[in-house]
Amino acid sequence: MKNSNALSQSHKILFLNTLAFTVCFACWTLNGVLVTFLVDNGIFHWSVVQVGWLLGIPILTGSIMRLPIGILTDKFGGKYVFSLLLLLSSIPLFLLPYADSFFMFALLSFFFGMVGTSFAVGIGYTSIWYPKEWQGRALGIFGMGNAGAAITTFLAPSLLNHFSISDPQNGWKILPVIYAVSLVVIGVAFLIFAQNKKIENNTKSVSQMLTPLKSARVWRFGAYYFLVFGCFVAYSQWLLPNFMNVYQTSLVMGGLFATMFSLPSGVIRAFGGYLSDKFGARKVMYWVLGSSVILSALLMVPKMEITTDGPGILAAKKGVVNDINNKTVKVGDKEYPIMQKASLVNENAIFPTTSSWQDVVVANNQNVAKKELIAKGITVIKFDANMWVFLVLVILIGISWGIGKAAVYKHIPEYFPNEVGVVGGMVGMIGGLGGFFGPIIFGYLLTATGIWSSSWIFILIFSIVCLVWMHYTITQMTKKKELTATHFKLETVS
């Protein structure tokens, strides 16, 4: 009975954590919709560079501050840290309607970006309530709060349009207030309904709490999370212009496709936690990184048309060209059939298609030697990178990353049971920085290559690095265990 009541209390905390994280994640990605709306409607005349900074600043704040917030969670418990975070983060959102310049908007965005640190609080506060066999599922369910990004993508544009009907210049100001009120409501609910819990007998100094960060394992987990979470956040923003530029979709359809990537990836995280509990986080990560390698390899092939040399025609014997028409070339008494240019290759083919023809390179009355080229062969290889196939592959890699997000955090309480907040905060910080730097890296690659799929080449290389690093580390650990076991047996025998 006691265990049943304890689990019931744990589930209540999990519900509050997940709800708070969902609202925080929705707030964290607010600028993606709000700033775009303000510029498109001429309310603020910000440059492309300024818009980029306003989109990135909250992501950056929420990332770099995860580590100190994780330390505070381990030190003082999740109830008070989460409540304070929710209430304080609402203040810059309440003030956002009064921002009348780029600097003020950027400054307030910097402060409300603190909601992104909610992940570090929730990870530490959730894991302490659950036994080892439950932690994968619990952390996976909590991580479903990533779907808050999809909530903003769906609701915010409609709300902005609705509020702007009667007052086009000032209607937008209601939206950040709604977000601020939601943070206050959740913050007060936390204070009333949550029960504080922290690591018992935690008398460590800050320097002692930071000791685990010297472990290479922490940075390896951070690398995994840079891929499965950071690149997920990056593509949540990057896919919209990708679809619009490569496939000429509308803004609405491109946004829908981007949501089809982000929503399943957030929701599937709970299933990833279940798989990690059932089969082990290590085995799940093998599947996640392996699938990331395969899918990114398929996605990196760009939409392209390649013209190359094809099969030409050589003279079988010497002679004089005495007739050239659309279908044949006659040299002496021998006629050579000419392959005509084919009709346009079918659009939206799933696999690459080829088309070949021949162009005559000789003239009437020209003397032709044996083996001399009469008609040059031309082959065109066309790959449409079918939009629906691309979309399915994007959704699949998003789902894979969603499962991976849960698997990474299943590792942390296993290896660092007394430093979940600190290690979770550090790993979360590295992953969050992936969300900030990802679009910047993708932008540089696009500028350098002129190819939209160049971002997937980066993903392929990074996925391979993570997979090799993990496999090498596990192989070394296995060898070490075998040597230890052998040494122990020899000592026992002697």
Side-chain angles (χ1 to χ4, degrees):
M1 190 66 165
K2 185 178 179 181
N3 288 339
S4 177
N5 290 336
L7 204 56
S8 176
Q9 177 67 20
S10 300
H11 292 344
K12 186 177 82 171
I13 298 298
L14 177 60
F15 171 76
L16 285 170
N17 275 342
T18 307
L19 179 62
F21 181 48
T22 304
V23 173
C24 285
F25 213 90
C27 293
W28 201 32
T29 53
L30 172 63
N31 271 7
V33 174
L34 182 57
V35 172
T36 305
F37 176 85
L38 294 174
V39 173
D40 286 351
N41 288 274
I43 297 169
F44 287 103
H45 301 286
W46 293 321
S47 68
V48 174
V49 174
Q50 288 175 316
V51 169
W53 275 105
L54 290 176
L55 295 183
I57 283 170
I59 306 297
L60 184 63
T61 314
S63 302
I64 61 176
M65 294 304 292
R66 282 182 174 184
L67 179 57
I69 291 293
I71 293 171
L72 290 174
T73 303
D74 281 348
K75 196 80 175 172
F76 301 106
K79 174 180 177 176
Y80 301 116
V81 176
F82 221 152
S83 302
L84 198 62
L85 175 66
L86 290 160
L87 296 173
L88 290 179
S89 296
S90 70
I91 297 171
L93 283 168
F94 276 122
L95 295 175
L96 204 59
Y98 300 101
D100 57 359
S101 67
F102 169 76
F103 175 76
M104 282 302 298
F105 217 96
L107 185 65
L108 293 171
S109 296
F110 177 85
F111 286 115
F112 83 69
M114 284 292 293
V115 293
T117 65
S118 57
F119 181 73
V121 187
I123 286 291
Y125 191 38
T126 298
S127 65
I128 202 168
W129 282 94
Y130 283 94
K132 184 179 178 180
E133 64 272 12
W134 256 91
Q135 285 184 344
R137 276 167 285 182
L139 295 176
I141 292 167
F142 166 74
M144 286 172 65
N146 287 166
I151 292 173
T152 290
T153 307
F154 273 121
L155 294 181
S158 301
L159 290 172
L160 285 168
N161 288 331
H162 176 72
F163 297 145
S164 299
I165 293 172
S166 56
D167 189 353
Q169 283 296 313
N170 298 303
W172 68 271
K173 296 179 178 180
I174 302 172
L175 185 65
V177 173
I178 290 174
Y179 275 69
V181 169
S182 65
L183 289 177
V184 171
V185 170
I186 302 296
V188 171
F190 237 90
L191 283 172
I192 295 171
F193 298 109
Q195 179 182 332
N196 200 38
K197 191 174 184 180
K198 59 182 179 178
I199 298 167
E200 294 177 5
N201 303 318
N202 187 8
T203 57
K204 294 180 181 178
S205 65
V206 172
S207 61
Q208 288 174 320
M209 293 175 75
L210 291 173
T211 302
L213 303 188
K214 295 177 183 177
S215 169
R217 184 178 279 132
V218 174
W219 298 94
R220 183 161 54 87
F221 294 162
Y224 301 162
Y225 209 61
F226 187 99
L227 174 68
V228 297
F229 176 75
C231 294
F232 158 75
V233 173
Y235 273 109
S236 295
Q237 302 174 68
W238 190 253
L239 281 174
L240 175 57
N242 190 326
F243 275 111
M244 292 178 69
N245 278 273
V246 178
Y247 297 105
Q248 291 78 52
T249 64
S250 66
L251 179 67
V252 174
M253 181 174 280
L256 176 63
F257 288 164
T259 304
M260 288 172 71
F261 161 78
S262 59
L263 187 61
S265 185
V267 173
I268 201 74
R269 191 164 179 164
F271 182 61
Y274 166 76
L275 291 176
S276 299
D277 283 338
K278 187 173 178 63
F279 301 107
R282 183 182 296 173
K283 189 175 287 186
V284 172
M285 280 308 299
Y286 263 118
W287 280 101
V288 168
L289 295 176
S291 62
S292 186
V293 169
I294 294 167
L295 292 168
S296 57
L298 293 171
L299 285 162
M300 75 177 218
V301 184
K303 189 175 184 179
M304 60 185 173
E305 188 173 300
I306 300 171
T307 302
T308 185
D309 293 326
I313 299 175
L314 302 177
K317 60 183 180 178
K318 67 178 183 178
V320 177
V321 179
N322 53 44
D323 184 41
I324 299 174
N325 57 53
N326 290 333
K327 295 182 178 179
T328 60
V329 172
K330 190 173 182 182
V331 179
D333 58 354
K334 184 170 177 60
E335 277 193 344
Y336 299 90
I338 304 299
M339 191 186 303
Q340 300 300 302
K341 189 172 183 178
S343 58
L344 189 68
V345 179
N346 289 334
E347 293 291 329
N348 296 319
I350 293 175
F351 299 104
T353 54
T354 61
S355 176
S356 296
W357 66 92
Q358 291 160 341
D359 283 345
V360 176
V361 295
V362 293
N364 272 315
N365 302 318
Q366 179 179 334
N367 284 312
V368 175
K370 187 178 181 181
K371 299 294 183 185
E372 187 174 339
L373 188 67
I374 295 172
K376 179 184 178 183
I378 297 170
T379 297
V380 170
I381 304 167
K382 188 174 182 182
F383 182 60
D384 286 309
N386 184 281
M387 184 180 73
W388 300 108
V389 175
F390 179 82
L391 178 61
V392 169
L393 292 173
V394 161
I395 293 170
L396 288 176
I397 202 167
I399 289 171
S400 172
W401 289 347
I403 292 170
K405 283 180 269 185
V408 171
Y409 270 86
K410 169 67 175 174
H411 281 95
I412 294 172
E414 288 183 1
Y415 289 102
F416 304 97
N418 296 319
E419 299 95 359
V420 174
V422 176
V423 177
M426 187 65 192
V427 171
M429 184 185 86
I430 296 170
L433 288 174
F436 175 72
F437 286 113
I440 297 172
I441 295 169
F442 299 165
Y444 277 116
L445 287 171
L446 176 60
T447 304
T449 64
I451 300 171
W452 275 93
S453 64
S454 57
S455 62
W456 293 110
I457 298 174
F458 170 80
I459 298 299
L460 172 63
I461 294 169
F462 198 76
S463 299
I464 291 171
V465 168
C466 288
L467 183 59
V468 170
W469 191 4
M470 183 179 78
H471 183 68
Y472 174 78
T473 305
I474 291 168
T475 304
Q476 292 300 109
M477 285 169 57
T478 306
K479 286 180 180 176
K480 193 174 180 180
K481 284 180 181 177
E482 287 174 355
L483 285 170
T484 305
T486 305
H487 182 68
F488 178 74
K489 284 179 181 177
L490 289 171
E491 282 189 341
T492 305
V493 170
S494 61

